């Protein structure tokens, strides 16, 4: 168990140093147009990958269950420009109905 603490502390140090290095980047580099394009693309890509993994994976297995139905329903509501609260409620209702149907 003592090894686990070393891994946690190492991960914390890496995260801290990564954030600190962002402050050391010169202002002239940050003002370049490609920097905002790359950072926006990375943000969307990371968020998308987190959503997909949390929706379609249980442990190390790909699954199709109510979470996928909830994501699809919420995605359609989002595409229709529904308010955020409505998107969340649509996803929750879709998940509940899918589970009620026995999936």
């Amino acid at each position: 168990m003592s090894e686990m603490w070393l891994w946690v502390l190492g991960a914390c140090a890496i995260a801290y140093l990564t954030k600190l290095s962002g402050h050391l980047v010169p202002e002239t580099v940050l003002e370049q147009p490609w920097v905002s394009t790359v950072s926006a693309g990375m943000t969307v890509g990371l968020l998308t990958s987190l959503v997909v993994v949390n929706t379609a994976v249980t442990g190390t297995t790909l699954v199709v269950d109510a979470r996928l139905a909830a994501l699809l329903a919420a995605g359609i509501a989002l595409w229709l420009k529904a308010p955020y609260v409505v998107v969340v409620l649509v996803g929750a209702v879709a998940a509940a109905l899918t589970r009620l149907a026995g999936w």
Side-chain angles (χ1 to χ4, degrees), residues 16-98:
Y16 177 76
L17 291 173
T18 302
K19 289 178 180 270
L20 181 64
S21 68
H23 294 286
L24 302 176
V25 176
E27 191 82 22
T28 56
V29 174
L30 297 175
E31 292 172 353
Q32 300 292 324
W34 67 269
V35 173
S36 62
T37 303
V38 169
S39 65
M42 286 178 61
T43 304
V44 170
L46 288 170
L47 181 59
T48 302
S49 66
L50 286 171
V51 169
V52 168
V53 167
N54 284 320
T55 300
V57 175
T58 297
T60 58
T61 308
L62 287 173
V63 293
V64 176
D65 60 5
R67 295 176 295 175
L68 187 59
L71 181 64
L72 286 166
I76 291 169
L78 195 59
W79 180 62
L80 294 172
K81 299 188 185 326
Y84 178 74
V85 173
V86 173
V87 171
V88 171
L89 288 174
V90 165
V93 168
L97 291 174
T98 305

